[in-house]
Amino acid sequence: MTILSSPSSSDRSAEPTSPDASPGVSSSLRQALAHPLASFWLVVVSAGLLLALGTMMVLSASSVVGQVEYDDPYYYVKRQIVFLVAGLGALWFLAYRPPRHLRVLAWVSWFVSVGLLLLLFTPLAVSAGGNTNWVAIPGLDFFNIQPSELAKLSIVLWGADVLDRKEKLLEQPRHLLVPYVPMVGVLVGLTLVGRDLGTAVVMGVIILAVLWMVGTPLRLLALLGLLAAGGAAALVLTSENRVNRFLLFLNPVEDTDGIGMQPTLGVWALASGGWWGVGLGASRQKFGGLVEAHTDFVFAIIGEELGLVGTLTVLTLFLVLGYAGLRIALRSDTTFCRMLAAGITAWFMGQALINLAVVLRLAPVMGVPLPFVSYGGAAMLVNLAALGLLLACAREEPQARRLLKRRSSSPRPRMTAVVPQTSTGRTSPAATPSKPPAATGRDRRRPAPGTRRRR
């Protein structure tokens, strides 16, 4: 779809002829968005700013707990930077891979995710906060694998490949659901066995978004949504901790010194920030009260230190990232890239929405981090890998693909030399190639060596 078109003759006559006239902001924005690689750069800029802001806020929010626990205020931010650099390497590798190479990773990611999730039932499993989400690697004490993060990536990548291969059969509901729903259901089920309901909810959002994007009837989506909601309610009722969290959500003023202290202090942090915040690094809630200040509740620290302006900046960057992802999905001419972009966008936006709702006390506490901003090694690696896949889809937009192909096939410019000039403007004799002296009359009559003179 072409955003800009050449103006007609009547429109040209109505345009100002003054040389000082400049196009308006809306016209400049339309021209920028009309560029073939506009989606690519929207993702790069928005995600890059979120990563920069997140690293800065992890440094601020984790300095106190790092000093208390490890006698190093930079402990957590140093680890975050290491995972950030590793994730950027994965992003760069995946962003420049063609779709046929990405398809190879689909089944590999699914089997690796299942294998890692099965390790949660071994002695290598690590429990924290009542959930068994991590797998310890022998010999690597500084890093634990979180299989559910890779499972989210597998749901998107494997689903995009399967649905693309069955594109001609998707008009039949049976082929819409099989084998996609049972196979991703295995990943969701293994995640729920580890008692990680928050991540399972994010997985459900991804699955429903992909099915909606592929054209599943609304009545079938509604049925799947009801089944998922019923399953989540059953899981809440079977856990005393989850029941207490849900009751606390219904009555926020109850038990503010116990299980309700964390969300209460998060709201206090947001309220004390005002318009411009108390200043970067000047948060008071991170001094022991807000335990998860650098992870799940980092948005509260942003509101306290940077104020309403800082929180609105984060929301704007996520909206730009969501718009770019949806734009890529709508402009893609292949089912694989369309499903992949839609799933990744739903993943980032759904997880961000859940995290913000928890901090604002619009939802019970679920333990879901804020993408690209919260501290987390495995989450950062997988999120950046997913971002690389989104950039690869942006490069596969029809106009972007033609532009990149034209750039790769165009000949490289030849090397040129700069010729110095003298003060008079003439070329310097040293830079001018010398010509051989003109032949004299005697030289003209002299025969070339090896030849005989005719008589």
Side-chain angles (χ1 to χ4, degrees), residues 33 37-52 88 91 95 316-329 341 344-345 348-349 372 383-395 397:
L33 293 177
L37 292 176
S39 302
F40 182 91
W41 290 112
L42 282 174
V43 173
V44 170
V45 173
S46 59
L49 292 176
L50 284 172
L51 289 170
L88 289 176
L91 181 149
T316 302
L317 291 175
F318 271 109
L319 288 176
V320 172
L321 180 60
Y323 164 75
L326 185 60
R327 171 189 168 106
I328 294 170
I344 294 174
T345 304
F348 291 159
M349 296 303 103
F372 308 113
N383 287 341
L384 289 176
L387 194 67
L389 296 176
L390 186 61
L391 291 175
C393 294
R395 290 169 54 87
E397 289 185 7

Side-chain angles (χ1 to χ4, degrees), residues 10 13 180 192 270 304 322 382 393 412 440:
S10 60
S13 61
Y180 178 66
L192 288 174
L270 289 171
E304 183 182 11
V382 177
C393 294
R412 296 183 178 179
T440 61

Side-chain angles (χ1 to χ4, degrees), residues 308-333:
L308 180 64
V309 175
T311 57
L312 292 180
T313 300
V314 173
L315 293 177
T316 302
L317 291 175
F318 271 109
L319 288 176
V320 172
L321 180 60
Y323 164 75
L326 185 60
R327 171 189 168 106
I328 294 170
L330 295 176
R331 287 172 171 247
S332 298
D333 57 352

Side-chain angles (χ1 to χ4, degrees), residues 84-397:
L84 176 61
V85 173
L88 289 176
L91 181 149
W92 179 85
F93 175 78
L94 294 173
Y96 291 90
R97 300 277 79 79
R100 65 179 183 275
H101 292 171
L102 301 179
R103 291 174 179 272
V104 178
L105 300 176
W107 281 97
V108 174
S109 65
W110 189 89
F111 280 109
V112 172
S113 298
V114 172
L116 292 177
L117 286 171
L118 290 176
L119 291 179
L120 297 176
F121 306 97
T122 67
L124 297 177
V126 178
S127 300
N131 297 337
T132 306
N133 300 342
W134 293 270
V135 174
I137 303 177
L140 295 178
D141 297 334
F142 65 92
F143 179 64
N144 292 332
I145 298 177
Q146 191 172 0
S148 58
E149 292 294 333
L150 182 60
K152 290 187 287 188
L153 181 63
S154 302
I155 289 175
V156 177
L157 184 57
W158 181 84
D161 179 56
V162 170
L163 293 175
D164 180 65
R165 296 179 186 276
K166 302 184 66 174
E167 181 179 9
K168 297 181 179 180
L169 302 174
L170 293 180
E171 295 182 357
Q172 307 175 27
R174 179 173 63 89
H175 290 283
L176 273 173
L177 302 179
V178 181
Y180 178 66
V181 173
M183 296 291 281
V184 298
V186 173
L187 300 177
V188 177
L190 291 175
T191 301
L192 288 174
V193 172
R195 305 177 63 83
D196 190 358
L197 181 59
T199 303
V201 171
V202 177
M203 291 178 175
V205 172
I206 299 172
I207 296 171
L208 292 177
V210 171
L211 291 176
W212 176 77
M213 194 68 183
V214 82
T216 305
L218 293 180
R219 62 180 182 276
L220 188 55
L221 282 177
L223 178 60
L224 292 175
L226 290 175
L227 291 176
L235 292 172
V236 170
L237 294 175
T238 55
S239 172
E240 182 180 359
N241 186 28
R242 296 192 187 112
V243 170
N244 292 333
R245 289 182 179 183
F246 186 76
L247 294 177
L248 179 66
F249 167 69
L250 297 178
N251 188 12
V253 298
E254 183 181 357
D255 196 15
T256 55
D257 295 331
I259 191 174
M261 184 177 65
Q262 187 80 357
T264 301
L265 292 180
V267 174
W268 286 0
L270 289 171
S272 61
W275 285 93
W276 302 99
V278 299
L280 187 62
S283 169
R284 294 183 291 271
Q285 300 300 332
K286 65 184 181 183
F287 283 88
L290 199 58
V291 181
E292 305 294 338
H294 59 295
T295 54
D296 299 346
F297 281 81
V298 69
F299 185 75
I301 303 299
I302 294 176
E304 183 182 11
E305 296 188 352
L306 303 181
L308 180 64
V309 175
T311 57
L312 292 180
T313 300
V314 173
L315 293 177
T316 302
L317 291 175
F318 271 109
L319 288 176
V320 172
L321 180 60
Y323 164 75
L326 185 60
R327 171 189 168 106
I328 294 170
L330 295 176
R331 287 172 171 247
S332 298
D333 57 352
T334 62
T335 303
F336 176 76
C337 289
R338 191 181 305 117
M339 296 301 103
L340 188 58
I344 294 174
T345 304
W347 169 6
F348 291 159
M349 296 303 103
Q351 184 168 329
L353 184 62
I354 292 174
N355 177 271
L356 298 179
V358 169
V359 176
L360 296 173
R361 302 201 75 165
L362 300 176
V365 177
M366 298 185 187
V368 176
L370 188 60
F372 308 113
V373 181
S374 296
Y375 169 80
M380 179 63 71
L381 289 174
V382 177
N383 287 341
L384 289 176
L387 194 67
L389 296 176
L390 186 61
L391 291 175
C393 294
R395 290 169 54 87
E396 288 298 319
E397 289 185 7

Side-chain angles (χ1 to χ4, degrees), residues 410-418:
S410 60
R412 296 183 178 179
R414 297 181 179 180
M415 184 179 296
T416 58
V418 179

